[in-house]
Amino acid sequence: PDGSYCEGILTTTCPAGTFCPKNQLGRHLACGPGYLQTSAGSLNCDQCSDGTDSKFCPYSSGSQVSCPQGFICNNKTDRIEADMNICPEGLVCDSTTTTIDISAGIGTAGAPAACPNGRWCGKGTYSGTHISGDMRTSQFCFDGNICGQNADWTSSTTLTGSKDSYGSYKCPISQFCQDGKSNPCPDGAFCPTEGISLPDYCQAGFFSTLGATECSKCKIGTFCPKIGTSKPIQCSPGSVCQLDAQLGITQLCPAGSYC
């Protein structure tokens, strides 16, 4: 009968995902990519969705298959797996993304979003939230680098986010960078070169203030007693600090004089 095939003396109804055309007695035929058949006992296959519901139809489909996370299936030609568009590097394509076209602006309605600041996104990223072990979510940048659309983390509708673990920019002089974010070198420390992940602290006898690229000697009349000094200490009355870079008070005011 129509919609069935014969094996010897047995008659079998064509299963979903296949069809049995008239006079095709010996076997059933699989629906090709881009087509499906949801019912058993059918004479032909139906065309897959036009893609507006983010579905596609692989070989021998009995139902439409949701577009995988990190891919976009939104055009009328996106009816087969080969037509799917993978989310580009530096962008995030979540369930609200309907196109990889960013000509109207990154983050605009239906377009991919930029990879979050402090992270990088490879091809096929579907979530800006990092999930450990899932490389199709945003990933942490190497320390010493900045991950973001701009070095100052300002947003943009024309720039993608970072595309690899080295980020978009090296950490600038006078700053240190961790988790893809830049921070000013703290008081009592110095950051002399690009790409620093941790600041170096001033030795005793030296000091620095916020954002320093080098440490300064404590001047005559002051002392800097410990590592990481941010402000020299004035020599107390009755004592003498006659050298620079002193660690502490080493001499009292001589007899016959006052200090």
Side-chain angles (χ1 to χ4, degrees):
D2 291 345
S4 302
Y5 64 99
C6 298
E7 293 180 311
I9 61 173
L10 298 177
T11 300
T12 304
T13 301
C14 281
T18 69
F19 67 106
C20 293
K22 289 184 177 181
N23 303 320
Q24 184 73 28
L25 300 179
R27 61 190 178 93
H28 57 291
L29 303 177
C31 294
Y35 293 84
L36 82 164
Q37 183 48 257
T38 59
S39 302
S42 298
L43 299 178
N44 50 45
C45 295
D46 299 322
Q47 194 174 50
C48 193
S49 161
D50 65 1
T52 55
D53 52 1
S54 297
K55 305 282 187 179
F56 75 103
C57 295
Y59 183 77
S60 191
S61 294
S63 62
Q64 297 175 28
V65 179
S66 294
C67 195
Q69 292 179 316
F71 289 79
I72 302 164
C73 308
N74 71 308
N75 297 317
K76 289 186 177 181
T77 57
D78 290 344
R79 293 191 294 267
I80 62 175
E81 195 166 5
D83 290 330
M84 293 187 300
N85 295 304
I86 190 168
C87 194
E89 296 171 321
L91 298 172
V92 177
C93 299
D94 61 16
S95 59
T96 66
T97 306
T98 58
T99 178
I100 59 171
D101 182 5
I102 57 175
S103 59
I106 293 171
T108 56
C115 193
N117 287 325
R119 308 286 175 83
W120 66 274
C121 297
K123 286 184 178 180
T125 297
Y126 69 89
S127 175
T129 301
H130 174 73
I131 299 175
S132 180
D134 190 344
M135 291 300 294
R136 293 188 303 117
T137 62
S138 65
Q139 303 296 308
F140 293 104
C141 275
F142 286 151
D143 288 343
N145 298 280
I146 295 175
C147 279
Q149 292 181 293
N150 296 280
D152 58 1
W153 277 28
T154 54
S155 61
S156 169
T157 59
T158 59
L159 297 174
T160 66
S162 296
K163 301 177 181 180
D164 58 44
S165 54
Y166 289 97
S168 302
Y169 309 90
K170 271 192 172 295
C171 196
I173 293 173
S174 80
Q175 299 184 33
F176 71 100
C177 295
Q178 294 179 339
D179 297 330
K181 180 181 179 181
S182 63
N183 307 276
C185 217
D187 292 336
F190 65 106
C191 301
T193 61
E194 291 183 335
I196 286 178
S197 59
L198 288 171
D200 291 317
Y201 285 89
C202 298
Q203 297 178 359
F206 292 77
F207 75 99
S208 73
T209 55
L210 187 70
T213 58
E214 61 182 9
C215 297
S216 302
K217 288 182 179 181
C218 286
K219 296 180 179 180
I220 294 173
T222 67
F223 63 97
C224 298
K226 61 182 181 179
I227 293 173
T229 296
S230 60
K231 184 178 181 180
I233 300 172
Q234 291 292 324
C235 204
S236 58
S239 59
V240 178
C241 298
Q242 59 184 354
L243 300 175
D244 58 14
Q246 279 195 203
L247 306 185
I249 297 172
T250 58
Q251 183 180 351
L252 296 177
C253 204
S257 61
Y258 68 94
C259 302

